[in-house]
Every structure is written in structure tokens, then in C-alpha cells.
Amino acid sequence: MAMKVLSSTSELFPFIKTGGLADVTGALPKALGAFGVEVKTVLPGYPQVMPLLSDNPPLVVFNDLFGERAALHHVSAEGLDLFVIDAPALFDRSGGPYVDARGIDYPDNWKRFASLSLVTAEIANGLLPGWGPDIVHTHDWQSALASVYMRQAGCSTPVVLTVHNLAFQGQYPAYLLGSLGLSPNAYTIDCLEYYGDLSYLKGGLMTADAITTVSPTYAREVLTPKYGMGLQGVLRKRVGSLRGVVNGIDQDIWNPETDHHLPVNYGVHDIGSKFANRMPLLKRFKLDTDDGPVFAAISRLTWQKGIDILVEVSGEIVSRGGKLIVLGRGERSIEEALVATAACFPGRMAVELGYCEADAHLIHAGSDIVVQPSRFEPCGLTQLYALRYGTIPVVSRTGGLAETIIDANDAAISAGVATGFQFDPVDGSGLRDGIHRAYDAWRIPSIWRRLQKQAMQADFSWQRSAGQYAELYLELQKRHVRTEQRLVVA
Ligand SMILES: Nc1ncnc2c1ncn2[C@@H]1O[C@H](COP(=O)(O)OP(=O)(O)O[C@H]2O[C@H](CO)[C@@H](O)[C@H](O)[C@H]2O)[C@@H](O)[C@H]1O
């Protein structure tokens, strides 16, 4: 019989996405199918999601979900099996999933994502006649409270919490404890209490049966003060239950041979055709059409991603004859700095503030080099998409970037395994060095073509990683069954 997993997430590709979390929660269920794991996903009913629902009556109606009326619907779409929480007062908003149109956090996020967690916990605890999960899989702070609610209700179904990004923790004032429907017992150092506040993520980390991060390197890094974001002590306590599983990519969606966003499709056997995407890209971004490498960044514009460092060295990219395209949105100060810098280099640097899936695909195909100067990077997907499109990544030596890109040093080049350039330290001097190395390699076509081939042949399919999740689920399920049996005997 298939193992049943209930995944709980605030983002899910292709319906609602602000970053890599959506890519993972959207791709993993399909990849797990091959391992006999059947995944259903709980998702808030944002305006982008509600049109998926049919006229079928809801599975359950909640008269008082944190004071709001709500209903739970079941629907299948795009190969995904969904439980959608229809709660207009919480999720029918015109901005993004977390912020309004001005980029400001919704003041009731504490309640919006507690409701995602609570509904997840209730499903695990038998809300739906005829279906209950063997394993609950939560993602980041937005669904991390699920295991706290489950334990409070005496539900012992095993929970896996995946940390995609420790920088976001869901920290709220302690006085909300009662409004969250949580007992004072949850407000302890071993659960939700965090420097006098509540931390949803900490609550999840303390009550989940297993914690995963999205790369083994990040799993080690988060135990240190530099990367632990204040939770290193908590993670050290749980180190026995912590492991890293590197992300894969959805190779159907990110496939230059079939990608319908590309003017010209190509593959590893006709890399030359990649070049045909260059002109459409330059035209799309109103850049000069002369030779010279095209550098690109597709990213949330945040401190984490080091885009301020890219701003600092963009003049150098341009002065060496390169061009730079940045697609992203995020912190106001970084957006402004990018726009101001691009204004200094007309025809050489273009910035698109916004989110556009089609442009992301075109940029990967038409550019030569993708730059990722992240200060920390739990895994990173952009560099993996770049590899698949024969676009060479220049990345900081951290987290998943260090783990997925093989630096083009002399030994790696002659061994035929190099796929990109790593740099260190993560500052202007480091990035400058990385960019110069990439530039120098780009000028020697034979070396560049070899790098592209090796990049395109790197295997980051979900196959291996999904197998590791399936193994973890099985391990937890067996342990759970043994514990239940012991309880019955006692
Ligand atoms: N303006 C824009 N337009 C179109 N597409 C855009 C875009 N801005 C970003 N994207 C897309 O968003 C995704 C970003 O994923 P990443 O994994 O690189 O980073 P993110 O920090 O969001 O994810 C977090 O979770 C993931 C998943 O676990 C980890 O890999 C990562 O390290 C962690 O920080 C990519 O699919 C990229 O193409």
C-alpha cells in the first residue's frame, strides 16, 4: 500500500510562487510517486488558487477558524493533489502571499499561517473520514506550527520539517499564545518560547520528528552562529534528527530541448543553437547587440542574495565589455540601487523589477553567465537551472552553491568535471575575482564549450533526492509503528 504523506506549504508551483520553496513543494510530490509515496498538499486559498476549485461541496466547513469562516476543498490540478483552505478573510488579498502591494507584511500573518498549520494538524488528527496521512511534511515557519498543534492534540503521526530558509522564522509576541489556541505548556524553552517571543519555526524544530535542510552543507552550517540565525543552539540540540537532502530540479519544466518559453530549443548535442536565444534576449531587455558575455541574475533582491555586492561590481562587468541583466524584486533599497546603476549604463545593463517566469527561462537560455553572490544559500535552484541551460554559474562558496557547482580550477578543468566558478570571500573583491575568471574562460571558446557541456550533463534530477525523502519517511513510519506497538503491549 502506498505511503500517504500530507505536505503543508504556503507556496506551490505552478499556482503560487515567490521563490524556491514553491519549486520544491511543486516538484517533490511528483518525484515521490516513483517511490510509492502518495502526497496530498494543504495550501491556502489565495486568489491564484481559488479558480482551481469546482462547484463540488467542501469536505469540511469551519465556523470559527481563528474567528473566520472557512472551508476545506479537495481538488487535483497539474498532477498535484490538493487540500485548499478557502478562507476569504485570511487569503483573498490582492498582494503576494506574505506582503501587500506596497511590499509590507500583512499584519495578520500570525493568524493566516497558524490557520494553515492548524488545518494540517487537524487533517493529521482524523478530520477527514477515510483519509489520514502516515507522515506530515511541513515547510519553513509558515507550516511549522502544525507539529505543535498535533502534539497538543495528542496526535503522534511523524512530522518532517524542511528548512528552506532559516532567515524567516515567524516570530510574534507571546501574548498571541491564547489567540493561537495554544496552551501555556507550549510557551517553554523546549517549544515555542524565543527570547520572550513566540517563534513558529522554533516550535516546529522542537516538535518535529525529523528536520531536513535543503543541502548537507547547509545542515552543517546552521549549527554555527554565523549561519544559525539565532537558532543554532536549538538545532544543535536536535542534531541527531537533522540531515541535509539536496534539492533537485523539475527536468520537464526546466528543459532547453522542450521549453516553450524559448525562441529556439537546444540540447547538449547542439549547444551552438543556444546562441540563437541571445538576440531575442538582448532585444527583450533593450541592450546593445554587440559581442561580449551576457551576465545575469534572477533572484529575490535581498541581503541574503548579495545583490548589493553585484551592484558594486556591475561597473566592472560593463567596462570589460560585458552586459548585465537583473530580474527580481525585493528590498526597496536594493531595487533603487539597481535602477540607479542601470541608468548609468544604458544599453549595457538592464533591470526588471518584478516577477516573470517566462523571462526567467529566456534569460537562462540567452545569457552566458549567471551570477549568485549569496551571503548564505541553503541550496539554491537558479544555479541548477543555469547548468541545465549551459549558462555558467559564478557563485559564492557557501551552502548548496558550494555543493552543486564544481569550481573550474586547473585540476577540475583537466579532469573534465568543472561546471562553474566559486568565489570567496563573499564581497566585492571575491565577486570581482569570480567574474574575471569567468570572463577569461569565456574568451577561450574550446574551454567555454567544455564547461557548458559538463554543466548541461550534471544530474540534478529529483530522482536521488526524492529517494532520500522516501527513505526518511519509511524510517519514521517504522519507528512510529514500533512505539505504538510498545504502548499497546504496556
Ligand atoms: N523575479 C523573478 N522572476 C522569475 N523567477 C524568479 C524571480 N526571482 C526568483 N525567481 C525564481 O525563484 C526561484 C529561486 O529559488 P532559489 O532556490 O534560488 O532561492 P530562494 O531563496 O527563493 O529559495 C529558498 O528555498 C529554496 C528551496 O529549498 C532553496 O534552494 C534556497 O536556497 C532558499 O533560499 C527560482 O526558480 C528562480 O528562477
Side-chain angles (χ1 to χ4, degrees):
M1 211 169 59
M3 173 171 310
K4 292 172 289 172
V5 172
L6 182 65
S7 171
S8 179
T9 179
S10 58
E11 296 186 30
L12 186 74
F13 186 86
F15 311 115
I16 177 87
K17 167 172 167 181
T18 70
L21 168 64
D23 288 354
V24 173
T25 54
L28 187 54
K30 296 179 205 161
L32 280 166
F35 295 88
V37 178
E38 170 199 284
V39 182
K40 295 189 193 292
T41 303
V42 196
L43 184 68
Y46 308 114
Q48 298 86 341
V49 174
M50 290 308 291
L52 301 174
L53 302 189
S54 62
D55 293 335
N56 291 343
L59 299 173
V60 179
V61 171
F62 302 91
N63 288 319
D64 181 7
L65 185 63
F66 297 107
E68 312 297 349
R69 268 188 75 79
L72 187 67
H73 292 261
H74 177 239
V75 66
S76 295
E78 304 279 351
L80 294 162
D81 206 346
L82 310 178
F83 290 127
V84 175
I85 307 169
D86 175 17
L90 298 174
F91 300 121
D92 186 12
R93 309 266 164 104
S94 57
Y98 318 116
V99 297
D100 65 20
R102 293 164 302 156
I104 297 169
D105 278 15
Y106 297 121
D108 58 350
N109 275 347
W110 65 272
K111 177 158 86 168
R112 299 172 72 235
F113 296 105
S115 71
L116 170 64
S117 295
L118 182 59
V119 171
T120 305
E122 294 202 358
I123 297 174
N125 205 18
L127 178 71
L128 305 175
W131 195 88
D134 300 311
I135 301 283
V136 171
H137 193 156
T138 57
H139 297 270
D140 280 350
W141 72 271
Q142 296 92 326
S143 52
L145 271 189
S147 49
V148 177
Y149 283 122
M150 285 165 67
R151 300 316 176 224
Q152 177 169 288
C155 170
S156 60
T157 303
V159 177
V160 176
L161 166 58
T162 294
V163 177
H164 298 264
N165 198 332
L166 213 49
F168 305 106
Q169 303 182 354
Q171 192 172 343
Y172 296 106
Y175 66 75
L176 290 174
L177 194 73
S179 310
L180 286 165
L182 288 165
S183 99
N185 295 342
Y187 186 64
T188 65
I189 192 158
D190 288 327
C191 193
L192 282 171
E193 192 279 333
Y194 186 68
Y195 295 105
D197 279 342
L198 303 173
S199 163
Y200 288 18
L201 186 59
K202 185 187 165 201
L205 292 172
M206 294 304 291
T207 50
D209 298 83
I211 301 162
T212 65
T213 63
V214 286
S215 70
T217 307
Y218 191 59
R220 287 190 297 276
E221 287 177 342
V222 293
L223 302 175
T224 66
K226 183 172 175 197
Y227 295 100
M229 302 276 169
L231 287 170
Q232 61 275 11
V234 173
L235 286 154
R236 277 204 295 267
K237 254 192 199 163
R238 302 280 345 255
V239 71
S241 306
L242 171 70
R243 67 178 77 174
V245 179
V246 76
N247 285 334
I249 62 172
D250 190 322
Q251 294 196 319
D252 294 333
I253 291 164
W254 295 94
N255 181 356
E257 289 183 272
T258 54
D259 189 333
H260 63 272
H261 295 298
L262 309 193
V264 178
N265 290 113
Y266 61 96
V268 69
H269 301 297
D270 60 339
I271 300 182
S273 303
K274 173 177 167 65
F275 192 74
N277 293 290
R278 175 189 169 92
M279 202 54 84
L281 175 69
L282 296 178
K283 290 219 165 107
R284 161 79 187 82
F285 285 92
K286 300 189 176 59
L287 291 174
D288 297 344
T289 53
D290 54 73
D291 294 344
V294 181
F295 290 76
I298 304 159
S299 180
R300 292 185 296 108
L301 304 177
T302 61
W303 181 86
Q304 172 196 350
K305 302 292 181 180
I307 301 297
D308 50 314
I309 305 173
L310 180 59
V311 170
E312 195 185 318
V313 303
S314 48
E316 228 148 311
I317 291 177
V318 168
S319 69
R320 286 202 65 177
K323 286 178 267 263
L324 175 62
I325 298 171
V326 181
L327 167 63
R329 67 178 172 204
E331 289 164 20
R332 182 67 55 85
S333 60
I334 301 178
E335 290 187 351
E336 286 171 359
L338 277 168
V339 171
T341 310
C344 303
F345 305 116
R348 315 299 305 177
M349 176 173 170
V351 174
E352 180 174 307
L353 298 180
Y355 183 91
C356 180
E357 199 70 28
D359 281 344
H361 285 249
L362 176 63
I363 292 171
H364 277 297
S367 61
D368 301 292
I369 295 160
V370 150
V371 189
Q372 260 175 289
S374 305
R375 290 189 166 89
F376 69 94
E377 196 59 79
C379 177
L381 292 169
T382 308
Q383 83 280 10
L384 304 183
Y385 300 144
L387 290 177
R388 188 112 164 86
Y389 282 64
T391 304
I392 302 304
V394 172
V395 302
S396 47
R397 187 172 295 129
T398 185
L401 299 176
E403 204 162 294
T404 54
I405 300 303
I406 302 177
D407 183 61
N409 55 42
D410 289 345
I413 288 180
S414 48
V417 294
T419 55
F421 298 88
Q422 294 186 2
F423 68 85
D424 196 13
V426 189
D427 58 17
S429 70
L431 178 56
R432 235 170 248 128
D433 180 52
I435 280 171
H436 287 313
R437 289 177 62 216
Y439 201 100
D440 291 344
W442 176 85
R443 288 171 50 185
I444 307 170
S446 58
I447 289 194
W448 197 253
R449 186 49 57 89
R450 247 171 51 206
L451 278 179
Q452 287 183 306
K453 261 203 175 135
Q454 283 152 205
M456 292 181 83
Q457 283 167 339
D459 179 11
F460 285 102
S461 64
W462 265 109
Q463 198 66 14
R464 202 165 55 100
S465 311
Q468 291 176 32
Y469 280 112
E471 239 168 65
L472 173 61
Y473 297 155
L474 199 61
E475 228 175 275
L476 294 176
Q477 191 191 28
K478 280 186 183 155
R479 201 194 309 160
H480 183 235
V481 169
R482 276 200 304 270
T483 313
E484 299 280 292
Q485 281 167 346
R486 266 204 301 275
L487 287 176
V488 170
V489 171

